[in-house]
Amino acid sequence: MLLTTGMVAVSDAESNKNATGAVFPDSEFNFQFLRTIGYAVSGGADINECLDTAYRVKNGDIESWYLEWNRTAGRLETTGDEFLARSNNVSARETYLRASNYYRTAGFYLTKNPDDPRIVPTWERSRDCFLKAADLSNNLIRPVRIPFENTTLPGYLCLVDTDGEKRPLLIVQTGYDGTGEELYFQVAKFAVDRGYNVLIFEGPGQGEVIRVQKIPFRYNWESVVTPVTNYALSQSIVDPERIVLMGISFGGYLAPRAVVFEHRIKACIANGGVYDFGGSILQRVSPDIEDILSDENKSKTFDQEILKAMDQSVEIGWAIGNGMYIFGARTPSDYFRMLPPYTLKEVAPQIRCNMLVIETDNDTLIPGQARPLYDALTSPKEFMFFTSEEGAGLHCQTGAVMISSERIFNWLDSVLQQN
């Protein structure tokens, strides 16, 4: 994410080159492209649709990125509407699912400028296309509202079938920048195929909850997962002895934090594991970051330099701009001041449930975080390592969701069979 030379953040994106063949010279664009096209195996993309779109995008130009992915998504949404009007329901569902993923991709970099007026409308179109597809799923994808404080959290119940049988439930959440809709392509489709019902949810700082409800992230994620677990247990199809929580990316901090306190969850998957999110980010920004953030004048100078760096780098611009957006910060220094509580250093040994901690060998976004988390655990645990040699070495096995799912669900099957 970020490295430093003095007080100025510089990108380490050049180290994130993947071995699958670059479509974009800019490695950050290439990573997000791979993220999008990787969902072809779960219905979220078609290969040449993605390639055709990518070839129209100007390398490193986030406005071009938005326009071209939005153009493809809009065309598919219109096609889906035409299919639906002719009662070609399967074709309509398939087309809406791809449009949903492409709208998500189109809007990805918009949060570089938290005031961009297109952020919410683009996300809404991604969400609405997914809802259209869910309506054509024979009741196997059900939008839900989860009671939470004075509001509700959005989510989806993804079901194996409609016979009402109690099954193991996988609760899955994203992290720093994903959406609930993306989780269907990334995880839920594969879990359902293996006999798991899935509850997807978005919490503070994510999806609708930040874009519409304006509720930013919080470090005490158990305050989110406990209401979600309450909701899960209110569903007659849930086996209370087989509830699992999975956190993706930054969710590799959030999910383990939650199970420190939420003991009704029997197993937790951290993909990838995050031990000290706040500390790891701040160390990569500047070795003098504590001194900078504690001094008003130094903070002002720091913000000016960071804003310049954000203009010069797609990765830095998005990472900090998005961070300000999802944490509700006014300035880069305000954002960095919010990060220290996001650590498991003091609480990881209190986790009781079965833990799967995942690391990849070319993860440049949260490097070196999984092993310290694993070592701190005193509960039953397993460490899973994905490599570039097997095609799954990028952050959260991006572009290799089948390889990822095969190994993760094999582990989960064995754990739940033991209980």
Side-chain angles (χ1 to χ4, degrees):
M1 205 153 137
L2 304 172
L3 298 171
T4 60
T5 49
M7 286 172 55
V8 181
V10 296
S11 172
D12 71 347
E14 64 271 12
S15 67
N16 194 26
K17 298 186 185 301
N18 66 70
T20 60
V23 172
F24 292 101
D26 183 283
S27 58
E28 165 60 23
F29 267 28
N30 213 51
F31 179 82
Q32 294 304 328
F33 170 75
L34 188 62
R35 178 175 177 175
T36 299
I37 198 172
Y39 298 138
V41 296
S42 47
D46 212 356
I47 292 171
N48 212 43
E49 250 171 17
C50 291
L51 289 170
D52 179 70
T53 304
Y55 293 148
R56 301 194 309 261
V57 174
K58 297 177 183 177
N59 181 59
D61 185 331
I62 61 175
E63 185 65 18
S64 175
W65 178 277
Y66 166 78
L67 290 172
E68 297 304 339
W69 285 107
N70 191 65
R71 173 182 163 190
T72 298
R75 176 176 58 79
L76 282 174
E77 183 179 11
T78 298
T79 300
D81 291 343
E82 292 170 352
F83 287 155
L84 184 60
R86 298 197 296 266
S87 298
N88 301 130
N89 290 352
V90 173
S91 297
R93 183 182 70 240
E94 292 174 347
T95 307
Y96 287 139
L97 287 174
R98 301 202 309 281
S100 175
N101 186 34
Y102 298 156
Y103 276 130
R104 180 199 61 79
T105 303
F108 183 80
Y109 292 110
L110 295 182
T111 52
K112 177 182 179 181
N113 172 14
D115 296 321
D116 194 313
R118 298 170 295 182
I119 292 172
V120 173
T122 306
W123 163 80
E124 284 179 333
R125 295 185 79 175
S126 175
R127 188 271 316 272
D128 290 349
C129 281
F130 193 87
L131 288 173
K132 291 179 183 179
D135 194 47
L136 298 170
S137 72
N138 298 317
N139 210 29
L140 295 177
I141 304 174
R142 301 176 182 177
V144 299
R145 305 298 305 190
I146 300 168
F148 174 72
E149 297 180 349
N150 297 318
T151 182
T152 60
L153 303 178
Y156 299 97
L157 265 176
C158 305
L159 305 179
V160 175
D161 51 43
T162 58
D163 66 6
E165 178 183 346
K166 286 186 181 293
R167 295 182 180 274
L169 180 74
L170 174 65
I171 302 173
V172 61
Q173 60 163 92
T174 187
Y176 195 79
D177 56 76
T179 65
E181 293 75 32
E182 181 185 15
L183 288 171
Y184 174 79
F185 307 115
Q186 190 174 19
V187 176
K189 168 68 168 61
F190 302 103
V192 167
D193 286 348
R194 289 165 170 81
Y196 294 86
N197 290 329
V198 178
L199 175 59
I200 292 168
F201 78 92
E202 292 175 341
Q206 300 172 333
E208 174 200 308
V209 187
I210 188 62
R211 288 168 175 82
V212 178
Q213 302 188 48
K214 307 299 183 185
I215 303 174
F217 268 114
R218 58 182 64 180
Y219 79 93
N220 57 335
W221 203 248
E222 66 276 8
S223 68
V224 181
V225 168
T226 289
V228 173
T229 306
N230 290 341
Y231 175 84
L233 288 168
S234 73
Q235 304 300 302
S236 62
I237 58 173
V238 173
D239 180 346
E241 297 304 315
R242 294 187 292 172
I243 299 178
V244 181
L245 177 64
M246 177 188 289
I248 307 293
S249 190
F250 180 40
Y253 159 80
L254 299 170
R257 165 71 197 205
V259 297
V260 171
F261 304 94
E262 179 47 76
H263 298 144
R264 294 172 294 180
I265 292 171
K266 306 304 179 182
C268 178
I269 301 163
N271 186 13
V274 182
Y275 183 58
D276 183 17
F277 180 78
S280 69
I281 297 300
L282 294 179
Q283 290 169 11
R284 299 172 78 186
V285 173
S286 170
D288 304 318
I289 191 65
E290 291 185 9
D291 180 54
I292 293 166
L293 298 180
S294 64
D295 185 290
E296 183 177 353
N297 290 327
K298 289 181 180 179
S299 291
K300 289 180 179 178
T301 302
F302 172 79
D303 285 337
Q304 291 171 357
E305 295 185 2
I306 288 289
L307 291 171
K308 289 179 183 176
M310 289 171 66
D311 285 338
Q312 296 168 359
S313 164
V314 171
E315 184 180 27
I316 294 174
W318 173 81
I320 298 178
N322 186 69
M324 291 166 60
Y325 183 72
I326 61 181
F327 281 81
R330 295 175 293 109
T331 65
S333 58
D334 284 340
Y335 163 57
F336 291 125
R337 288 189 191 94
M338 294 175 178
L339 297 183
Y342 291 82
T343 180
L344 297 172
K345 281 186 174 182
E346 301 299 324
V347 296
Q350 300 173 33
I351 294 173
R352 300 180 188 175
C353 69
N354 261 287
M355 287 289 303
L356 177 63
V357 180
I358 298 171
E359 185 173 31
T360 54
D361 68 357
N362 191 26
D363 189 337
T364 62
L365 300 182
I366 48 171
Q369 286 290 300
R371 180 59 70 172
L373 172 58
Y374 177 81
D375 290 343
L377 295 170
T378 59
S379 63
K381 60 185 180 178
E382 183 159 332
F383 192 81
M384 186 174 290
F385 193 67
F386 288 91
T387 68
S388 298
E389 183 178 5
E390 63 186 317
L394 294 178
H395 178 64
C396 297
Q397 305 86 57
T398 293
V401 289
M402 292 188 73
I403 298 170
S404 176
S405 295
E406 287 159 4
R407 291 179 58 188
I408 290 171
F409 285 110
N410 288 351
W411 173 84
L412 186 56
D413 288 346
S414 69
V415 166
L416 294 185
Q417 287 167 7
Q418 294 170 9
N419 293 337

